[in-house]
Amino acid sequence: MKHLRQGVRRATAFGLALLMVSLMTGSPAPLSAHPHVWVSALAFLGFEDGKLTKLRVQWAFDEFFSLVLYEDFDRNQNGIFEEAEIDAMREGAFTGLGEVGFFTDLRIDNARVAWNGAEDFGIAVSEDGSVVSYSFTLMLPEPVDPVQQAVTISLYDPDFYVAVDFIDDRPLRFRGNDGVACTYEFEEAADNPIYFGAVFPWRAVLSCSGKGA
């Protein structure tokens, strides 16, 4: 187990060095080794009075990176993330991700939203304790009418150190959208390649009808 933990540290350190300062523990990995961390993501779209106002995002990390989080932040090694440990995790391994938009590319009429920080950071662990998940809220600068405006959502790390994939079962979910019916389809973001043009993130394209029609 000790060797596994050391290996995970070396594999993840370079990819998250600029973003998760507390995890800078090894030498840079070769570029061909990307990605280093895997995330299964889910987004809840929050509405108020027919307008899109926020996203609640959940990330479930792979078991190796979850182990790194236990090593770095479960300070008393009791297998439970307590309040002070969660605060340390937020500051040491989350807040810096604001530099890359928290891996959340929301576009309104093809203009990318600039997030002003994230709110309500929390964590959860799987029943067997092997998977750590983040959750957080991103507030839109102003309410958006998805009936009248084009809305797309793509989740990705622009440097591809972290592979962010939507979960298979209902990856986008809607809350408070009374009177607004929304569906979505995924497309390859051919106009937004990452990792030297070798990878194309998936983009969810919303189609809504209702109050703003």
Side-chain angles (χ1 to χ4, degrees):
M1 182 65 74
K2 178 180 179 181
H3 295 298
L4 172 60
R5 290 174 177 173
Q6 291 173 342
V8 172
R9 285 178 179 275
R10 285 194 294 271
T12 60
F14 179 58
L16 302 179
L18 297 179
L19 309 176
M20 300 181 177
V21 178
S22 71
L23 302 181
M24 291 190 297
T25 56
S27 300
L31 291 177
S32 61
H34 292 6
H36 307 306
V37 180
W38 286 261
V39 169
S40 297
L42 165 66
F44 294 88
L45 285 69
F47 287 72
E48 294 182 16
D49 194 25
K51 303 291 181 65
L52 178 63
T53 60
K54 61 187 175 182
L55 298 182
R56 181 68 177 172
V57 182
Q58 294 181 0
W59 297 341
F61 291 106
D62 64 85
E63 292 186 4
F64 289 164
F65 188 69
S66 295
L67 180 60
V68 172
L69 292 175
Y70 274 109
E71 271 215 346
D72 279 25
F73 297 105
D74 182 16
R75 302 292 169 78
N76 58 9
Q77 298 183 348
N78 67 349
I80 300 171
F81 290 112
E82 297 165 355
E83 184 175 354
E85 295 169 339
I86 294 172
D87 289 342
M89 188 185 300
R90 181 184 65 245
E91 293 305 314
F94 174 71
T95 300
L97 294 173
E99 297 177 14
V100 288
F102 302 100
F103 300 160
T104 304
D105 183 346
L106 175 70
R107 302 195 184 198
I108 309 300
D109 292 333
N110 207 37
R112 184 170 182 173
V113 171
W115 303 115
N116 184 23
E119 303 178 3
D120 300 327
F121 175 79
I123 70 161
V125 298
S126 60
E127 187 173 345
D128 64 2
S130 64
V131 174
V132 177
S133 299
Y134 284 178
S135 60
F136 55 95
T137 298
L138 300 171
M139 301 297 301
L140 274 70
E142 58 185 29
V144 170
D145 183 349
V147 176
Q148 301 292 338
Q149 296 177 276
V151 179
T152 64
I153 302 172
S154 191
L155 305 181
Y156 61 89
D157 171 11
D159 295 316
F160 203 47
Y161 299 125
V162 180
V164 186
D165 293 314
F166 285 101
I167 65 170
D168 293 331
D169 181 25
R170 298 174 57 220
L172 298 186
R173 305 179 188 184
F174 303 94
R175 290 176 169 173
N177 58 313
D178 297 338
V180 179
C182 293
T183 60
Y184 55 89
E185 293 186 359
F186 281 98
E187 65 179 20
E188 195 174 66
D191 60 339
N192 187 33
I194 61 175
Y195 195 43
F196 308 103
V199 176
F200 298 92
W202 287 99
R203 172 191 293 147
V205 181
L206 267 64
S207 177
C208 299
S209 62
K211 286 187 177 181

